[in-house]
Amino acid sequence: MRVKRARKVRKYLRYYRTCHGFRAPYKVLVDGNFLHAVSQMKLGHAKDVLAKYLGAPSKLFTTRCVAHELKSMGAEFKEASFAARRAEEVKGGPDPPTPAFDSVVAAVAGDNAERFIVCTQDEKLRRKLMSDSAHVPVVFCHTSGLQMEPPSDATGGGVASQSERAGGLSEGERLALGQEEVVNAMGGVRTNVRYKKPKARGPNPLSVKKKSENKRSATREGGGGGARTSPGTSPTDGPGMHSALNGPRWSGNDGGGGKKEPSRPAAGRGFSMGRGRGLSFGGGG
């Protein structure tokens, strides 16, 4: 739940910063019952609690009527009265003994020109502030911690959900600029923006590039240059190498009609290099 509350207050403050010009350090206007609730719940100093909740430094303000009201309420509100004395006073406004309710409403009158964040436990005052102006963020103290009321002029989630007026170019301005109003097929939205149609492009020339002749000839020369042999064997082993080096050897009589076929060298017979023909075979014996 803490994570959800932190996300909510970040979203609400981002809305107030974007739409209504609130900036840190925030100016927080507190009344007597809020200060009393913070002291009763033992949350700590109101300034530190609000700075932690809002995620930015804050300045505490109160009215003279709120301080006068707390001073006259007895020993039960003594700690809240001390906290109100440490806060800065709002300039102007009604003088005591005007009710604190009216002094808070007067401080945020005129669309909250001072950009106060009001902290109060008075539910009647909260409803009054939310209905009178959308420029007043309201914070109250709950049993689980501080909470902020959602913005009254945001009817959905996010800034784009608030009611917006379509204030495009007038017909005379479009004619002066030489623009035509185009109706978008999606939802009938009218716009002056024209999008370029994507051009038909061919395949990537690098992906269809043919191999050059030099690479092909190098591949042929390197791939077929020599016979592959298994490790531990001589390159002259086998009948194919024998016939290639010394020519075919025929078995049987030539005149007897015998079948001529190349004969393999007998086991144990090798060959040695000699002068003349280059290769000579000898007996293994």
Side-chain angles (χ1 to χ4, degrees), residues 27-274:
K27 300 166 74 173
V28 183
L29 180 60
V30 296
D31 66 350
N33 48 30
F34 179 82
L35 293 174
H36 179 65
V38 170
S39 63
Q40 289 295 311
M41 295 179 66
K42 298 182 179 179
L43 298 177
H45 295 291
K47 185 177 181 179
D48 300 336
V49 174
L50 286 166
K52 184 178 179 180
Y53 177 70
L54 299 175
S58 59
K59 295 181 180 180
L60 233 60
F61 289 83
T62 190
T63 62
R64 288 174 293 173
C65 298
V66 169
H68 178 76
E69 187 180 73
L70 287 172
K71 192 182 297 184
S72 61
M73 291 186 75
E76 186 180 356
F77 292 84
K78 186 176 181 180
E79 190 173 348
S81 179
F82 285 151
R85 291 179 191 176
R86 288 193 294 267
E88 299 182 28
E89 286 187 358
V90 178
K91 295 180 180 179
D95 296 327
T98 306
F101 182 97
D102 298 335
S103 66
V104 173
V105 172
V108 296
D111 285 339
N112 194 10
E114 294 292 333
R115 296 296 182 264
F116 283 123
I117 298 176
V118 179
C119 298
T120 179
Q121 295 296 104
D122 191 350
E123 190 172 352
K124 182 180 177 182
L125 178 58
R126 281 157 48 188
R127 288 198 302 266
K128 170 81 173 166
L129 296 174
M130 297 293 292
S131 60
D132 286 356
S133 176
H135 300 74
V136 184
V138 179
V139 177
F140 61 96
C141 193
H142 195 259
T143 54
S144 58
L146 301 185
Q147 291 192 8
M148 181 180 287
E149 294 280 1
S152 59
D153 60 341
T155 56
V159 177
S161 62
Q162 61 177 335
S163 57
E164 298 176 352
R165 297 179 181 177
L169 296 176
S170 63
E171 186 176 358
E173 291 172 341
R174 287 197 304 273
L175 292 176
L177 294 173
Q179 294 182 350
E180 298 179 1
E181 191 176 31
V182 181
V183 179
N184 194 356
M186 187 174 186
V189 179
R190 296 183 178 272
T191 177
N192 299 324
V193 180
R194 289 181 177 271
Y195 297 97
K196 292 183 179 179
K197 294 183 179 180
K199 296 181 180 179
R201 299 180 179 179
N204 187 1
L206 298 178
S207 62
V208 297
K209 187 177 180 181
K210 297 181 179 180
K211 291 184 178 180
S212 61
E213 294 296 330
N214 296 334
K215 290 184 178 180
R216 288 184 178 179
S217 59
T219 305
R220 290 175 182 174
E221 293 175 1
R228 296 181 181 178
T229 58
S230 59
T233 59
S234 172
T236 57
D237 291 347
M241 184 58 69
H242 172 78
S243 60
L245 294 175
N246 206 17
R249 297 180 63 185
W250 307 98
S251 61
N253 298 325
D254 294 342
K259 186 177 180 181
K260 297 180 180 181
E261 60 180 5
S263 61
R264 299 181 180 180
R269 300 181 65 184
F271 63 92
S272 62
M273 300 295 293

